[in-house]
Amino acid sequence: KKPSDWVDDSMMDDPEDKKPDDWVEEKRMVDAEAKKPDDWDDEEDGEWEAPMKDNPAYKGEWYVKRISNPAYKGLWEAKKIANPEYED
């Protein structure tokens, strides 16, 4: 039987790794330079919303750094014993 304290993961999240304070989460942002078109009719076209553009400060999704797990002992294998009832 596998021990209850056996660790299956060879890698773990680094507990020391923290997301930088200046990390930008927003992939897209409202284009502040966009202007409502002169021929826009709120009744006919609906309320105007500024278009979105790619955020130049976006660096991608942040992932915690992975490190080797010091508690990892390798793959667990059940102990094999001879079957006394086996006949060759």
Side-chain angles (χ1 to χ4, degrees):
K1 184 175 175 185
K2 184 176 179 179
S4 61
D5 64 342
W6 194 268
V7 177
D8 289 318
D9 300 320
S10 65
M11 301 293 283
M12 62 182 260
D13 292 346
D14 184 353
E16 304 292 316
D17 196 21
K18 302 283 185 253
K19 181 167 36 173
D21 292 333
D22 64 344
W23 196 267
V24 177
E25 299 269 337
E26 294 79 28
K27 187 174 188 177
R28 310 229 340 127
M29 59 189 263
V30 174
D31 186 355
E33 298 173 3
K35 303 273 188 259
K36 182 176 177 178
D38 294 333
D39 61 347
W40 191 272
D41 182 359
D42 285 337
E43 282 188 27
E44 191 173 310
D45 301 321
E47 186 178 336
W48 185 81
E49 293 180 12
M52 301 293 278
K53 68 177 186 177
D54 290 338
N55 188 345
Y58 180 70
K59 301 174 192 169
E61 286 191 47
W62 184 83
Y63 298 100
V64 67
K65 186 169 54 172
R66 304 278 289 165
I67 60 171
S68 293
N69 189 342
Y72 181 67
K73 301 173 190 169
L75 291 174
W76 184 81
E77 290 186 23
K79 196 183 294 182
K80 296 186 179 181
I81 58 172
N83 183 348
E85 297 175 11
Y86 177 75
E87 293 180 14
D88 195 8

